[in-house]
Amino acid sequence: MIQYIRFADTLSAVFGKAFAWLIIMMAFGTGYEVVSRYLFNAPTPWALDISFIMYGSLFMMGGAYTLSRGGHVRGDFVYRLWRPQTQARVDLVLYLLFFFPGVTALIVTGWKYASRSWSYGEVSVNSPAGIPIYQFKTVIMAAGILLFIQGIAQVFRCIVCMRTGQWIEADEDVRETEDLMMKRADEAETGGHI
């Protein structure tokens, strides 16, 4: 189970970090559009569609990575007070009842949308540029598959936690600013010894 958890975390991180580069591309594309539109009075017909496609792809393909790092929104005002085994039991039930059926629907529906879109070479109707969007529809299914793979890892995390009483944490590669500030404040109070 632990090997699978590490595999899924690594796979999610690879895709999440690769698609994160779309932010840079979006910034350049939007910057180009602003300069073109407002300085040269020559707006591009493709900017809106490309920004939607890139942002949507970033959002969808980053979902499994965010799940692996525990970054999704959670109403934890009660949850955080529970013992880890209780948290794991609740998480396991919620994954089985809600997560997997929803992600399975995402995969099946994404497959239908993508296959239909590829069959007739669908293009965007939002602009005169006719930007192809069939590859974007494929991202829906791909994101669902990644979420499913990561969801299995999360179930394994729950099982391990129910047995051992401790969560298997993902490798730490990013930290929230508030977490860093709290850690520094704690270190300042304790003189660097936590």
Side-chain angles (χ1 to χ4, degrees):
M1 279 193 276
I2 292 173
Q3 284 181 322
Y4 182 86
I5 291 169
R6 297 294 176 221
F7 158 76
D9 285 354
T10 301
L11 183 68
S12 296
V14 165
F15 278 96
K17 290 176 182 180
F19 276 82
W21 286 99
L22 289 176
I23 293 171
I24 304 296
M25 293 171 59
M26 285 172 44
F28 281 119
T30 303
Y32 178 84
E33 171 64 14
V34 168
V35 169
S36 177
R37 177 180 298 255
Y38 294 108
L39 289 182
F40 300 112
N41 199 25
T44 62
W46 48 262
L48 180 65
D49 286 327
I50 295 298
S51 67
F52 281 167
I53 289 169
M54 285 194 282
Y55 180 72
S57 297
L58 168 66
F59 180 80
M60 295 292 290
M61 296 302 284
Y65 174 67
T66 305
L67 179 63
S68 74
R69 299 311 193 254
H72 286 286
V73 175
R74 176 190 305 257
D76 67 348
F77 60 95
V78 174
Y79 178 91
R80 65 189 164 117
L81 301 175
W82 295 339
R83 292 182 19 237
Q85 289 97 338
T86 305
Q87 293 173 344
R89 285 185 192 99
V90 170
D91 280 359
L92 181 61
V93 169
L94 293 176
Y95 276 114
L96 296 176
L97 287 179
F98 298 107
F99 179 83
F100 284 111
V103 170
T104 301
L106 182 68
I107 294 168
V108 171
T109 304
W111 170 258
K112 289 178 185 176
Y113 283 145
S115 63
R116 192 176 314 134
S117 186
W118 278 88
S119 72
Y120 61 85
E122 185 177 8
V123 297
S124 174
V125 296
N126 293 326
S127 71
I131 303 295
I133 59 171
Y134 44 86
Q135 74 285 359
F136 179 55
K137 299 262 178 117
T138 306
V139 166
I140 298 169
M141 180 187 63
I145 291 168
L146 283 173
L147 278 168
F148 199 93
I149 291 167
Q150 187 62 49
I152 293 169
Q154 298 305 106
V155 165
F156 287 168
R157 273 190 169 91
C158 292
I159 292 168
V160 170
C161 182
M162 287 187 301
R163 289 179 182 167
T164 66
Q166 295 203 347
W167 286 104
I168 296 176
E169 298 293 331
D171 292 338
E172 193 171 291
D173 55 357
V174 292
R175 301 266 324 247
E176 294 286 335
T177 304
E178 64 186 38
D179 292 339
L180 290 172
M181 292 172 64
M182 288 173 45
K183 182 178 178 183
R184 286 189 189 131
D186 288 343
E187 288 174 353
E189 285 180 15
T190 61
H193 306 291
I194 297 180

